[in-house]
């Protein structure tokens, strides 16, 4: 028997155990990154743009918010648990991954998406908006970006190819402010592609002030806090930790998809506002389709991160 006769069936079996759609998404992401890096190298701006991205997405304001929220979680926890609970430690690994890998990735994705849309869909640019006052145009663009993020989140839950990557975020059974960073790096591709469209359409000639992007990211980060806060009347408009927690409950994942504004959920009739003082329900995924740290068989944190990141590429039985 020749060597090829022995290995070919094994090789085919291995390919059958892999998920093609996940490789397609990885390929699309690599293409956008390649466009961004080639564009920035040609302009000699790669390092400048990466530094600006770090300043926006790892701003002192965001770091201060994470620390302050962590302190509030110790004082008024929705669920009381040790500071070094397995879920907190695992999500801290994702915070490190976010700082090292995801922030440059997000920066390049937005540059690449803008370059691709600019090259192939310039017709969406609304030049007349250049005359509009900033107080109208900037909030309108941010709201449109939020709508695009809602749509990307909706697609994450509706399309199996995207859910494979989003499931890691939902697998957390011990929510905390750090869970905001528990996301597969490839989960961001559709969001950045969609969110870039309104920015290119509405503000083709003026950039959005970095402080506004940072503020948007801060509000989006707070929603995972282990707090029962509903934000009172403001919680009817802005996503609160109690509101987003309902999205992480195994039986109500189709509700409360909003990132910062609740209006898109209201319009899509999938908003459920939490009652003040409502008990914090269970979070995570039934039957644990993604390996999680709370399982007795889980390995050390970094090994488990690797397993969790590989999971979308494996075909499900
Ligand atoms: Zn979700
Ligand atoms: Zn979440």
């Amino acid at each position: 028997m020749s060597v090829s006769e022995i290995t070919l069936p094994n090789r085919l079996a291995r390919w059958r155990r892999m998920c093609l759609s996940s490789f397609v998404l990885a390929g699309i992401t690599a293409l956008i990154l390649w466009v961004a890096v080639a564009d920035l190298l040609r302009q000699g701006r790669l390092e400048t743009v990466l530094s600006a991205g770090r300043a926006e997405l790892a701003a002192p304001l965001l770091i201060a918010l994470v620390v302050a929220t962590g302190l509030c979680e110790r004082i008024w926890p929705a669920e009381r648990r040790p500071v070094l609970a397995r879920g907190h430690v695992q999500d801290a690994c994702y915070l490190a991954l976010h700082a090292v890998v995801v922030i440059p990735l997000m920066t390049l994705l937005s540059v690449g998406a803008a370059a691709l849309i600019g090259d192939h869909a310039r017709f969406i640019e609304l030049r007349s908006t250049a005359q509009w006052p900033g107080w109208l145009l900037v909030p309108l663009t941010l709201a449109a970006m939020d709508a695009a993020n809602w749509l990307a989140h909706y697609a994450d839950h509706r399309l199996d190819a995207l859910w494979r990557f989003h499931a890691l975020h939902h697998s957390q059974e011990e929510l905390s402010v750090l869970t905001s960073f528990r996301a597969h790096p490839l989960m961001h591709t559709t969001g950045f592609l969609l969110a870039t469209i309104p920015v290119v359409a509405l503000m083709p000639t003026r950039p959005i002030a970095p402080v506004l992007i940072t503020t948007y990211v801060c509000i989006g980060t707070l929603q995972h806090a282990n707090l029962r806060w509903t934000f009172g009347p403001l919680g009817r408009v802005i996503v609160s930790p109690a509101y987003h927690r309902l999205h992480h409950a195994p039986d109500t994942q189709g509700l409360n998809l909003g990132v910062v504004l609740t209006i898109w959920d209201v319009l899509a009739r999938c908003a459920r506002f939490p009652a003040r003082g409502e008990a914090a329900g269970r979070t995570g995924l039934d039957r644990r389709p993604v390996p999680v740290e709370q399982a007795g068989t889980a390995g050390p944190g970094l090994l488990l991160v690797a397993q969790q990141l590989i999971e979308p590429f494996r075909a499900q039985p």
Side-chain angles (χ1 to χ4, degrees):
M1 191 183 281
S2 73
V3 173
S4 62
E5 277 172 321
I6 299 167
T7 55
L8 190 61
N10 288 344
R11 227 180 285 162
L12 283 173
R14 197 183 304 162
W15 273 106
R16 266 188 228 115
R17 286 199 298 271
M18 294 188 175
C19 177
L20 185 64
S21 65
S22 297
F23 285 93
V24 171
L25 185 68
I28 292 169
T29 308
L31 177 75
I32 300 171
L33 295 180
W34 182 73
V35 167
V37 171
D39 221 37
L40 292 172
L41 281 176
R42 206 169 34 242
Q43 299 168 21
R45 293 196 311 128
L46 181 61
E47 189 42 48
T48 315
V49 168
L50 286 176
S51 308
R54 267 195 300 274
E56 263 178 23
L57 299 167
L61 180 65
L62 179 64
I63 297 165
L65 178 97
V66 170
V67 172
T69 309
L71 289 172
C72 291
E73 286 179 334
R74 303 312 308 158
I75 304 168
W76 304 288
E79 281 182 319
R80 193 164 290 283
R81 59 179 97 96
V83 70
L84 291 179
R86 195 70 211 267
H88 299 176
V89 175
Q90 193 67 14
D91 287 353
C93 294
Y94 280 100
L95 175 62
L97 183 77
H98 183 86
V100 176
V101 176
V102 178
I103 287 180
L105 177 85
M106 285 172 149
T107 308
L108 293 174
L109 276 177
S110 52
V111 171
L116 282 170
I117 293 169
D119 286 349
H120 302 287
R122 180 137 279 170
F123 60 88
I124 68 165
E125 290 181 5
L126 302 171
R127 292 274 159 185
S128 57
T129 55
Q131 318 301 327
W132 294 13
W135 61 262
L136 174 68
L137 187 58
V138 174
L140 191 70
T141 307
L142 285 171
M145 271 175 62
D146 195 57
N149 283 328
W150 182 92
L151 202 61
H153 193 185
Y154 179 79
D156 285 340
H157 281 263
R158 285 299 171 126
L159 304 177
D160 184 57
L162 299 179
W163 169 253
R164 285 170 173 277
F165 291 95
H166 190 54
L168 166 62
H169 178 67
H170 276 270
S171 66
Q172 182 53 272
E173 296 171 8
E174 296 170 301
L175 279 196
S176 76
V177 67
L178 298 177
T179 307
S180 304
F181 307 100
R182 182 192 183 99
H184 198 291
L186 293 175
M187 197 193 89
H188 301 291
T189 306
T190 40
F192 273 88
L193 268 178
L194 286 175
T196 303
I197 293 171
V199 178
V200 173
L202 293 167
M203 297 185 70
T205 52
R206 311 187 229 173
I208 296 182
V211 67
L212 291 175
I213 299 287
T214 304
T215 307
Y216 182 86
V217 173
C218 282
I219 300 172
T221 301
L222 193 59
Q223 60 180 229
H224 293 103
N226 181 28
L227 297 164
R228 287 192 204 184
W229 295 355
T230 60
F231 289 168
L234 193 64
R236 305 296 290 191
V237 184
I238 302 279
V239 171
S240 68
Y243 182 88
H244 191 65
R245 192 182 179 92
L246 288 171
H247 177 63
H248 277 264
D251 50 347
T252 48
Q253 278 162 17
L255 304 176
N256 299 5
L257 296 155
V259 178
V260 165
L261 298 173
T262 61
I263 181 173
W264 320 118
D265 289 323
V266 174
L267 290 174
R269 295 174 182 273
C270 64
R272 201 195 122 194
F273 291 95
R276 204 177 150 82
E278 190 174 315
R282 189 167 70 85
T283 65
L285 295 173
D286 282 336
R287 296 188 293 281
R288 293 178 168 166
V290 178
V292 287
E293 55 273 26
Q294 290 84 8
T297 51
L302 287 178
L303 179 67
L304 184 62
V305 167
Q307 289 171 336
Q308 289 170 331
L309 294 182
I310 290 167
E311 187 62 27
F313 294 95
R314 297 177 51 215
Q316 274 143 27

